[in-house]
Amino acid sequence: MERRVEVGVLGATGMVGQQFIRFLQGHPWFEVTWLGASRRSAGKKYVEAANWTLDGGVPESIARQTVHEAKPTNGAPKLMFSAMDASVAGEIEQAFAGAGHFVVSNSRNHRMEPDVPLLIPEVNAEHLEIIPAQRKNRGWDGAIVTNPNCSTITMALGLAPLKPFGIRKILGATLQAISGAGYPGMPSMDIVGNVVPFIKNEEEKMESETQKILGDYAGGKIAHLPAAVSAHCHRVAVVDGHTVAVSVELDRRPGVDALADAIASYRGIPQQKSLPSAPRQPVHVMPDDNRPQPRKDALLEDGMAIAVGRIRECPILDYKMVILGHNTIRGAAGAAVLNAELLLEQGLLD
């Protein structure tokens, strides 16, 4: 693609906004030209407004840019990435979509709305076909597309290759990294040497989002996967990388080797079209009994691929496995950028 597309970042000063800025540095298609944040930050240079928490300093191309209030004015570009906190994201994202912007959101606010795609490009690219209905329903010139919760995307991408075998039941238990709690995250006295067996709203999101993502687009609607999904969510003393131990019941039992082959050979439109942020192989099968591990495997293919290991039979359901993904890359900023690349490749931004 020859042309460069200007993009903006809403919630640019927060931790996820910083991940967007870092991930977009050097992107061959997108250039960050507009930064939006709270009224408190508006008018300041980015380097003054943001408490930069990531490794390295603020990118030079961003440091002196002026931060705008998160409103659809001031020359904001058509394509916007949203890292807004859920407490304010809903109305702000709707305002931008109503003003003709395409909002690719990491926030949870619109994920489960029936006319909003909850997108993993390798898994359910056809869900983008709901966008014309969304725009008609809401009277918008723009649109909202969302990416899943950071633990959901790991589990759903790992299980998507099993859809041809008929998924009936899913049981997942997460071991989630502290970076998923944002900055400053959890007090050290709560998490060091400890496991916290509750993350607010996380189990509900994993259960409902997985059903929507793995569902089919038919008859102008997204029909959710008719499978029972149960999640247990835990915060553990790991910096980056969400691990999910999953058991699954299928309509057909292909055998462990055939299951592993189906997972390892899984590809989607991002791989077929060689989208810039797409991993060469979205799901890697790890043969070693002690893998995947967050410290060794979370950055697989620059954090955009997930790893699956310990594929074996389950005495209660049919099969069980361990799935790992990088929660702030494939589970947040990287996921949204890949979504935007798919929108552009399919001509939906024209």
Side-chain angles (χ1 to χ4, degrees), residues 209-284:
E209 289 180 19
T210 299
Q211 292 168 326
K212 182 175 182 179
I213 293 162
L214 296 180
D216 296 318
Y217 180 79
K221 297 180 180 180
I222 299 170
H224 292 202
L225 181 75
V229 184
S230 180
H232 305 266
C233 294
H234 315 81
R235 189 76 69 192
V236 298
V238 169
V239 177
D240 290 311
H242 286 355
T243 302
V244 192
V246 180
S247 289
V248 59
E249 181 180 297
L250 305 173
D251 289 331
R252 294 188 294 114
R253 298 187 60 171
V256 169
D257 291 342
L259 206 69
D261 288 344
I263 294 170
S265 62
Y266 189 74
R267 303 290 188 277
I269 290 177
Q271 288 70 43
Q272 297 165 9
K273 300 294 185 179
S274 298
L275 299 183
S277 298
R280 175 186 55 82
Q281 182 177 340
V283 189
H284 291 244

Side-chain angles (χ1 to χ4, degrees), residues 63-226:
R64 306 309 301 174
Q65 286 193 31
T66 299
V67 178
H68 302 276
E69 188 173 355
K71 293 182 177 180
T73 56
N74 302 317
K78 183 174 184 178
L79 178 57
M80 304 295 297
F81 293 103
S82 176
M84 301 296 297
D85 184 87
S87 62
V88 296
E91 291 184 3
I92 291 173
E93 291 176 359
Q94 290 176 27
F96 273 87
H101 300 270
F102 271 72
V103 181
V104 181
S105 176
N106 186 67
S107 302
R108 70 171 185 262
N109 301 65
H110 302 289
R111 288 176 184 159
M112 294 307 298
E113 294 177 9
D115 58 359
V116 175
L118 180 58
L119 187 63
I120 303 176
E122 289 91 346
V123 177
N124 61 343
E126 71 279 6
H127 288 197
L128 290 177
E129 296 177 33
I130 199 75
I131 286 178
Q134 179 193 134
R135 300 172 81 177
K136 181 180 179 181
N137 293 344
R138 299 165 186 255
W140 289 348
D141 293 324
I144 295 174
V145 174
T146 62
N147 55 271
N149 169 268
C150 51
S151 51
T152 303
I153 195 169
T154 296
M155 185 171 78
L157 182 52
L159 292 177
L162 308 189
K163 269 194 73 175
F165 304 116
I167 299 174
R168 298 178 61 183
K169 295 179 182 178
I170 300 168
L171 175 62
T174 71
L175 306 170
Q176 295 182 222
I178 56 175
S179 57
Y183 186 87
M186 303 183 68
S188 60
M189 287 292 288
D190 287 344
I191 195 61
V192 173
N194 196 24
V195 174
V196 179
F198 175 73
I199 305 172
K200 187 176 181 181
N201 299 324
E202 198 79 358
E203 293 172 352
E204 294 85 353
K205 286 186 282 188
M206 284 193 70
E207 292 165 0
S208 59
E209 289 180 19
T210 299
Q211 292 168 326
K212 182 175 182 179
I213 293 162
L214 296 180
D216 296 318
Y217 180 79
K221 297 180 180 180
I222 299 170
H224 292 202
L225 181 75

Side-chain angles (χ1 to χ4, degrees), residues 9 11-25 35 46-60 62-63 183:
V9 179
T13 57
M15 188 172 181
V16 176
Q18 293 175 26
Q19 290 283 4
F20 273 115
I21 287 168
R22 184 169 70 174
F23 194 86
L24 287 163
Q25 291 304 293
L35 304 170
Y46 183 79
V47 71
E48 300 166 349
N51 175 25
W52 189 261
T53 62
L54 305 183
D55 295 341
V58 179
E60 291 185 8
I62 301 296
Y183 186 87

